[in-house]
Amino acid sequence: MDQKILKTLDFYAILHTLAHHAATSLGKDRAEKLEPIGDFEEVKRRLKATDEATNVDRLKGGAPFGGIRDITAALHRARIGGMLNTTELLDIATTIFGARRLHKFIEAANEEYEVPLLMGLCGNLADHKPVEEAIRRCIDENAQVLDSASPELARIRQELKTNETRARDRLEQMIRTPSIQKMLQDNIITMRGDRYVIPVKQEYRGHFGGMIHDQSASGATLFIEPESVVQLNNKLRELTLKEQAEIEKILRALTAKVGEVVDDLLNNVDILGELDFIFAKAGLAREQKSTMPRMNDRGFIKIKRGRHPLIAPDKVVPLDIELGNQYSTIIVTGPNTGGKTVSLKCIGLLSLMAMAGLFVPAEEGSQLCVFDAIYADIGDEQSIEQNLSTFSSHMTNIIRILREMTPKSLVLLDELGAGTDPAEGSALAIAILEYIQKMGSRMVATTHYSELKAYAYERQGVINASMEFDVQTLKPTYRLLVGVPGRSNAFAIAERLGLARSIIEHARGQVGEEDQRVESMIATLEENRLTAEAERHTAEQLRREVETLRRELEAERQKFREQRDKLLAKAERDAAEAVAKARREAEEVIAELRRLAKEAAGSVKDHQLIAARRRLDQAVPELRDKSAKAPKKKADRIEPGDEVLVTNLGQKGHVVDIGDTEATVQLGIMKMKVSKANLELVKQAASGGGKAAQPQATSSINRTRDDNTRMELDLRGQNLEDALIEVDRFLDESFLANFGQVYIIHGKGTGILRSGIHDYLRRHKHVKSYRVGNYNEGGIGVTVAELK
């Protein structure tokens, strides 16, 4: 790809940003050297790798590249037999460890989301852990050779410490002697050239003997090695040389180990650099909120809300454009500062980024093409040195483009034909457009010439476009409108700025009738477009609201289904428990009967026992489908006196009076009005429809059971006075029915109703004892009374 084009379209600025996302110098180097390519399959592979890294980054966080260094130079020196220093060896060890850690990280990510390309690269990493361990045994984290690197080195260093201690002790003894202290400039021990010395005043230089190693700038202080420590210092020097020789021996041995695996390590460095580069592309995609474009090789571009990556997100205006399907050429017209050049660069830059394997800042579903080359003539390239005018510079560049382009190229031309006579410039621009279109290249061109609007309107495969301009604010909106030619806003702007109407009308008269018709047509198109966009926005808003309601309704349905399933499951469990309880009781009855039969010496026969058990089995409750119920008898046949079933209460009663929509029904001691829709005829009155005898006057206490005596009484919601009346009647009926135990349901509430009922039961003649219900009987919300 032409380097000039990459610079013109700001591709190098993208690479600079990309390099900042690389964790190692290896990745940075690849990022800075990245170039778009025209190989369709390779572009898809690069994008797939970026996509895998993006998913890993999203699922597992940033990849660990710590400790990985560019050890290429050290490896080449090891290959030719050079000795590596401690820093280089430590870098090799940390790089081996970093490669192993990165491999494990990508393997863990692959278990959650398959990343075959990244795994393929990791599969080629060689793990030379023995070399790493050998280096770490000899060199610490500060790149210092450890005493334990060899027994000889440990011995030498121990002897060094011993001699250093002797030398320092001897000098310490000297500087603490009062007679010597007056000869010293300072009471300290220092070193000059790896030898221990003391600072002596100039006038006492002859009192110590030994050697003078240095003096101060003024000459007043001499750094003297006293004769008494010369032998010790010589010994220290000898040991130091031995230490250096032993360290060199160790480093050469480690270098030899590295040299045995140089090829593998060089391959590792290459792979690690590639992985760092791929994850840097993922980091750039995350920063720019970019997506993976769909690529093709048929010259088709469809950018959905594309953003120029170098413009601040809060200022950039998204671009929507399609090229290469119904039309291969787009001609953008409109005034300056409207955003034509930015749109042109955005198309070219996004294409270059995709061809380089980078995600593009656009919405999902955007499509870009792998071109064999992208050509651009953008900006003023006037050259004083070459004596070229603006027009000449542009034409030189365009001539080169026309000579090199192919049918698989993308051509971007800014201000085509500018810089010369308008008539000749427009004619030349049309001729260039005709040539490029016949060649079959994809092209986007911007121009000021109104003649090109008519050209685009008349030619198949060519379409007009323009940059939107708000006449009310006199500012461009920077939106590219494909299909709408640019409109001249000079008269509208002048009128808004206050130019006299007479002058504006005179100016309009100077414009040809054909041009006026074109402007009128463009104005109509603009008005229709704005109306259509407003309607589309309204429809989109309605669609979102409907979608929200649909989701809420579906959630409610799902909630209802879950609740229904829970209730059905609970009902089935309760039914199963009831059946099991009934069967247990039946077994107990049978056992009791058999016991009685034995005691009665055969007076109870086996066939009687079998019949009794059959009756018990038939008494077990069955769950029936509501749909299997007998058809209801029509309510319009019901008359006063008839026996009916109130379906919504599950109780039977007699009709007292009947109206058009409601009927008065006697339910035990209670009268209530019921909708005719909730009545089902059970039995007609024997009198053939005459009114039933009116029941005796009763209290209006609300009961939840029918007039048949039951073993439980529900008093929830009643006051204490009415409840006690109902309790008294209930106990009398239960006593007559010979019930041994009854249940009074009063609820938990504040406890007033429960306390009042307990006081009443305590003194009732039919009550033997009472207690609060057990856990499975309703707890403190139920009182169980034992009758006499």
Side-chain angles (χ1 to χ4, degrees):
M1 191 69 68
D2 190 344
Q3 303 298 313
K4 182 179 179 182
I5 299 299
L6 300 181
K7 182 179 180 180
T8 300
L9 295 177
D10 301 319
F11 184 72
Y12 289 129
I14 300 298
L15 297 188
H16 181 70
T17 305
L18 174 63
H20 281 295
H21 287 277
T24 70
S25 60
L26 300 168
K28 292 181 187 296
D29 184 60
R30 277 173 167 75
E32 291 169 353
K33 294 178 180 179
L34 177 64
E35 288 189 3
I37 58 173
D39 187 332
F40 181 60
E41 293 301 326
E42 178 61 18
V43 168
K44 290 200 300 183
R45 191 199 67 80
R46 289 186 180 184
L47 285 171
K48 181 68 170 68
T50 306
D51 184 51
E52 290 182 5
T54 301
N55 284 297
V56 171
D57 183 78
R58 175 174 54 84
L59 294 171
K60 307 291 288 185
F65 285 95
I68 296 175
R69 305 284 187 269
D70 184 2
I71 56 175
T72 306
L75 293 176
H76 285 305
R77 284 179 50 229
R79 169 178 278 171
I80 61 176
M83 185 186 74
L84 302 182
N85 59 39
T86 55
T87 302
E88 291 171 328
L89 288 167
L90 184 62
D91 285 346
I92 290 172
T94 59
T95 301
I96 294 173
F97 171 75
R100 184 167 60 255
R101 181 174 58 181
L102 180 63
H103 191 176
K104 291 180 180 178
F105 171 82
I106 294 176
E107 277 186 337
N110 187 62
E111 294 177 358
E112 296 184 31
Y113 181 90
E114 290 189 2
V115 285
L117 292 179
L118 297 181
M119 284 299 296
L121 288 171
C122 287
N124 293 323
L125 286 173
D127 184 12
H128 290 288
K129 191 174 182 179
V131 176
E132 176 199 350
E133 292 175 343
I135 294 174
R136 291 190 180 277
R137 279 197 301 269
C138 299
I139 301 173
D140 65 14
E141 295 297 330
N142 297 317
Q144 299 297 317
V145 178
L146 296 167
D147 294 353
S148 57
S150 73
E152 179 64 16
L153 181 63
R155 185 193 65 76
I156 292 172
R157 285 184 172 175
Q158 181 60 42
E159 193 173 349
L160 266 171
K161 290 178 182 178
T162 301
N163 282 272
E164 285 176 352
T165 302
R166 290 176 181 172
R168 294 187 64 86
D169 288 346
R170 188 164 297 180
L171 290 175
E172 286 281 354
Q173 186 178 3
M174 291 179 65
I175 64 177
R176 286 197 299 267
T177 303
S179 59
I180 294 179
Q181 285 182 353
K182 66 180 182 180
M183 303 179 188
L184 302 179
Q185 199 70 265
D186 293 297
N187 295 331
I188 61 172
I189 300 171
T190 185
M191 296 192 76
R192 288 294 185 273
D194 296 331
R195 300 181 78 87
Y196 286 103
V197 296
I198 53 176
V200 179
K201 295 178 182 178
Q202 169 70 26
E203 56 269 28
Y204 297 108
R205 59 185 301 175
H207 286 73
F208 292 91
M211 293 181 291
I212 300 173
H213 289 279
D214 197 5
Q215 67 178 7
S216 64
S218 63
T221 303
L222 300 177
F223 294 94
I224 297 176
E225 177 186 1
E227 188 175 357
S228 60
V229 296
V230 169
Q231 293 300 323
L232 288 174
N233 275 333
N234 289 341
K235 183 65 175 177
L236 287 175
R237 179 61 181 165
E238 180 184 346
L239 290 171
T240 300
L241 292 175
K242 287 183 178 181
E243 178 190 30
Q244 292 175 352
E246 183 62 21
I247 289 175
E248 182 176 341
K249 179 181 176 182
I250 293 169
L251 295 181
R252 288 193 178 279
L254 293 175
T255 303
K257 288 183 177 293
V258 172
E260 294 173 359
V261 294
V262 162
D263 291 336
D264 285 348
L265 293 179
L266 285 171
N267 184 58
N268 279 7
V269 169
D270 188 61
I271 294 173
L272 293 172
E274 181 67 16
L275 287 170
D276 185 25
F277 166 63
I278 292 172
F279 277 97
K281 292 192 292 182
L284 180 66
R286 182 183 65 251
E287 178 187 281
Q288 297 179 346
K289 295 181 174 60
S290 300
T291 62
M292 179 178 175
R294 293 168 52 191
M295 303 304 296
N296 65 83
D297 57 354
R298 55 187 179 85
F300 179 65
I301 294 177
K302 184 178 183 179
I303 300 174
K304 300 170 65 175
R305 298 188 65 78
R307 308 177 304 278
H308 196 293
L310 299 181
I311 300 178
D314 58 336
K315 295 181 180 180
V316 66
V317 178
L319 170 72
D320 289 281
I321 193 170
E322 184 175 321
L323 176 68
N325 194 2
Q326 297 179 353
Y327 39 84
S328 61
T329 300
I330 298 177
I331 298 177
V332 186
T333 54
N336 285 329
T337 70
K340 296 193 304 296
T341 302
V342 173
S343 297
L344 207 64
K345 283 189 171 184
C346 184
I347 296 169
L349 181 56
L350 296 192
S351 296
L352 290 174
M353 290 175 66
M355 291 168 62
L358 301 175
F359 280 17
V360 296
E363 284 192 353
E364 295 281 354
S366 296
Q367 297 188 51
L368 290 166
C369 174
V370 178
F371 296 102
D372 61 358
I374 297 178
Y375 299 100
D377 179 61
I378 300 174
D380 187 0
E381 301 182 9
Q382 185 173 207
S383 173
I384 297 176
E385 291 82 1
Q386 297 179 14
N387 195 26
L388 294 175
S389 65
T390 300
F391 177 74
S392 299
S393 176
H394 278 296
M395 285 309 302
T396 301
N397 197 20
I398 291 173
I399 290 170
R400 182 183 62 83
I401 293 173
L402 296 178
R403 185 171 59 247
E404 296 178 1
M405 70 180 188
T406 71
K408 292 186 176 182
S409 301
L410 173 64
V411 180
L412 306 172
L413 302 177
D414 190 29
E415 302 296 348
L416 182 60
T420 187
D421 178 74
E424 293 181 355
S426 62
L428 191 59
I430 291 174
I432 292 172
L433 292 176
E434 285 278 6
Y435 180 84
I436 295 176
Q437 190 189 12
K438 288 180 180 179
M439 176 68 73
S441 301
R442 302 297 184 260
M443 175 175 55
V444 181
T446 68
T447 182
H448 282 298
Y449 296 131
S450 59
E451 290 84 356
L452 269 68
K453 302 175 187 176
Y455 167 79
Y457 183 76
E458 295 170 353
R459 295 297 189 278
Q460 185 176 2
V462 184
I463 192 169
N464 274 307
S466 61
M467 304 306 298
E468 187 179 52
F469 189 86
D470 190 342
V471 180
Q472 300 299 320
T473 61
L474 304 181
K475 293 181 179 179
T477 65
Y478 304 107
R479 291 182 57 202
L480 179 65
L481 306 175
V482 179
V484 180
R487 180 185 175 192
S488 174
N489 298 295
F491 295 153
I493 294 172
E495 187 174 3
R496 288 274 298 166
L497 293 175
L499 186 64
R501 178 171 291 277
S502 58
I503 299 176
I504 293 175
E505 292 301 326
H506 180 71
R508 282 200 175 99
Q510 303 301 314
V511 179
E513 184 178 348
E514 184 67 24
D515 291 337
Q516 289 186 16
R517 283 202 303 270
V518 171
E519 287 297 317
S520 177
M521 177 191 70
I522 295 174
T524 303
L525 288 173
E526 181 72 8
E527 183 178 350
N528 292 339
R529 183 190 63 80
L530 292 175
T531 302
E533 281 197 357
E535 292 176 351
R536 182 185 62 80
H537 178 73
T538 302
E540 182 66 19
Q541 186 175 1
L542 290 174
R543 186 193 66 78
R544 287 195 296 268
E545 292 176 357
V546 169
E547 185 66 21
T548 301
L549 291 174
R550 186 191 67 78
R551 287 195 298 268
E552 291 176 354
L553 178 60
E554 184 61 30
E556 289 295 329
R557 285 179 177 173
Q558 181 63 25
K559 184 178 179 181
F560 169 76
R561 286 193 290 266
E562 291 175 357
Q563 291 178 344
R564 179 199 63 192
D565 293 342
K566 289 179 180 178
L567 290 174
L568 287 175
K570 184 178 183 300
E572 290 176 357
R573 288 194 301 271
D574 292 345
E577 291 174 1
V579 170
K581 182 179 179 182
R583 290 192 180 276
R584 285 195 302 272
E585 292 176 353
E587 293 294 341
E588 291 174 0
V589 171
I590 296 297
E592 181 66 19
L593 288 174
R594 291 188 185 276
R595 185 183 63 77
L596 292 174
K598 290 179 180 180
E599 292 177 356
S603 61
V604 180
K605 305 298 183 181
D606 283 345
H607 72 274
Q608 293 174 319
L609 299 176
I610 295 171
R613 178 161 186 169
R614 184 182 299 113
R615 288 195 302 273
L616 287 171
D617 288 338
Q618 291 173 350
V620 173
E622 295 182 359
L623 295 176
R624 296 182 179 178
D625 192 347
K626 292 182 179 180
S627 62
K629 287 184 178 179
K632 293 182 181 180
K633 297 179 182 180
K634 293 186 177 179
D636 55 7
R637 297 179 183 176
I638 298 175
E639 297 179 358
D642 291 346
E643 184 179 357
V644 294
L645 173 66
V646 182
T647 57
N648 61 328
L649 298 177
Q651 299 181 18
K652 294 179 182 179
H654 292 85
V655 178
V656 177
D657 189 19
I658 191 164
D660 293 335
T661 59
E662 292 183 334
T664 303
V665 182
Q666 181 75 40
L667 299 172
I669 63 172
M670 177 181 63
K671 285 182 182 178
M672 66 181 299
K673 287 187 176 182
V674 181
S675 173
K676 291 174 68 177
N678 294 328
L679 296 180
E680 183 179 334
L681 180 61
V682 175
K683 183 179 180 182
Q684 289 185 335
S687 61
K691 288 191 175 181
Q694 295 296 325
Q696 297 178 356
T698 60
S699 174
S700 60
I701 294 175
N702 179 27
R703 293 190 61 199
T704 61
R705 303 292 179 186
D706 57 26
D707 55 338
N708 296 324
T709 302
R710 303 292 295 274
M711 294 181 67
E712 64 183 38
L713 174 65
D714 192 345
L715 300 174
R716 287 176 292 185
Q718 298 185 20
N719 59 44
L720 180 59
E721 182 180 355
D722 292 339
L724 293 178
I725 296 172
E726 186 70 353
V727 169
D728 184 71
R729 184 202 59 76
F730 174 66
L731 292 175
D732 288 342
E733 291 177 356
S734 300
F735 180 80
L736 293 175
N738 200 24
F739 289 157
Q741 179 177 282
V742 294
Y743 298 83
I744 302 173
I745 304 171
H746 43 68
K748 300 177 182 179
T750 60
I752 295 176
L753 188 59
R754 180 177 67 249
S755 299
I757 291 172
H758 286 185
D759 290 340
Y760 184 79
L761 294 177
R762 189 179 299 114
R763 58 180 182 271
H764 197 279
K765 61 183 180 180
H766 295 320
V767 178
K768 181 179 179 181
S769 65
Y770 65 91
R771 61 178 174 83
V772 174
N774 295 325
Y775 177 79
N776 60 346
E777 293 174 330
I780 62 173
V782 175
T783 295
V784 183
E786 297 286 337
L787 303 184
K788 295 180 180 178

